[in-house]
């Protein structure tokens, strides 16, 4: 499976971000990718209150995936019917439709993601082509039990969209955790 990674920063405007998804998905399809993965919060950056961004953005992403003929994996916010939202990974494209709501919220170092986000309640593995793909989001990477569980469910590839905050040794932390999760589960971590 050829997987493209769209390394970019989302804006506070979901319409602008959908245009970026359209552009980068077209590039991925032209390069022969079967899947393109976008960051966490691709719908709208964390600079905007999450509840303002919980809109039917997924419909546009589904249209992009259908037009390109490849699977799009993108982070977004979805409504919970309360003042808080889910931090969701949408997986959509040919013969696949799934979502994962982030299980582990970043409530650390003076930040409380739980003020705006409701945690999900179950791990998700989705079939994409011949591969079983486990889904996680950003901070989830720090929880090896989640990845072990996904592997027991058959996941061979773990996709982890992230908006990893910058700071001292943050790249080192990311690489170390991604490598550890791959080794823990004998899977590929994307």
């Amino acid at each position: 499976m050829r997987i493209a990674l769209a390394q970019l920063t989302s804006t506070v405007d979901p319409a602008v971000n959908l245009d970026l998804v359209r552009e980068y998905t077209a590039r991925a399809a032209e390069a022969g990718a079967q899947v393109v993965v976008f960051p966490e919060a691709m719908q709208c950056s964390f600079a905007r209150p999450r509840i303002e961004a919980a809109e039917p953005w997924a419909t546009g992403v589904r249209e992009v995936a259908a037009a390109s003929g490849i699977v799009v994996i993108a982070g977004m916010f979805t409504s919970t019917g309360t003042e808080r939202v889910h931090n969701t990974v949408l997986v959509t494209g040919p013969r696949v439709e799934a979502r994962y709501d982030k299980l582990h919220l970043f409530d650390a170092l003076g930040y409380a993601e739980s003020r705006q986000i409701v945690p999900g309640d179950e791990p998700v593995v989705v079939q994409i082509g011949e591969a079983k793909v486990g889904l996680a989001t950003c901070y989830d990477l720090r929880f090896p039990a989640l990845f072990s569980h996904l592997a027991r469910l058959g996941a061979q590839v773990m996709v982890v969209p992230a908006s990893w905050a910058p700071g001292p040794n943050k790249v080192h932390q990311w690489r170390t955790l991604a490598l550890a999760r791959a080794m823990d589960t004998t899977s590929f971590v994307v």
Side-chain angles (χ1 to χ4, degrees):
M1 175 184 303
R2 187 177 182 108
I3 300 173
L5 301 179
Q7 299 284 88
L8 56 112
T9 302
S10 61
T11 72
V12 295
D13 185 339
V16 169
N17 297 333
L18 185 58
D19 287 341
L20 291 170
V21 168
R22 189 173 290 109
E23 175 189 342
Y24 281 73
T25 300
R27 286 186 196 178
E30 287 171 15
Q34 289 93 15
V35 177
V36 59
V37 179
F38 289 89
E40 173 187 28
M42 186 63 218
Q43 174 191 27
C44 181
S45 82
F46 285 101
R48 180 175 177 182
R50 281 20 122 224
I51 192 68
E52 291 178 13
E55 57 183 58
W57 188 78
T59 300
V61 177
R62 288 183 185 100
E63 291 168 358
V64 168
S68 70
I70 68 173
V71 174
V72 176
I73 300 176
M76 60 181 294
F77 301 107
T78 56
S79 178
T80 63
T82 71
E83 292 182 7
R84 298 183 303 156
V85 296
H86 284 297
N87 185 339
T88 299
V89 174
L90 172 68
V91 181
T92 187
R95 295 169 301 284
V96 63
E97 180 73 23
R99 71 179 269 176
Y100 164 74
D101 296 324
K102 185 178 182 181
L103 291 173
H104 301 96
L105 303 184
F106 185 73
D107 284 1
L109 304 174
Y111 184 79
E113 187 176 19
S114 62
R115 287 187 190 128
Q116 295 189 52
I117 306 290
V118 174
D121 56 13
E122 66 182 273
V124 174
V125 173
V126 61
Q127 186 80 36
I128 300 177
E130 298 298 316
K132 288 192 175 190
V133 178
L135 302 175
T137 305
C138 200
Y139 189 60
D140 282 333
L141 198 62
R142 292 186 180 272
F143 297 87
L146 170 60
F147 290 81
S148 295
H149 183 75
L150 293 169
R152 283 191 302 278
L153 293 175
Q156 304 146 300
V157 176
M158 308 294 179
V159 173
V160 190
S163 182
W164 200 255
N169 297 312
K170 293 297 287 220
V171 171
H172 175 69
Q173 289 174 21
W174 177 260
R175 288 181 178 153
T176 300
L177 290 165
L179 181 59
R181 297 303 77 85
M183 292 175 70
D184 291 344
T185 60
T186 61
S187 67
F188 295 95
V189 174
V190 178

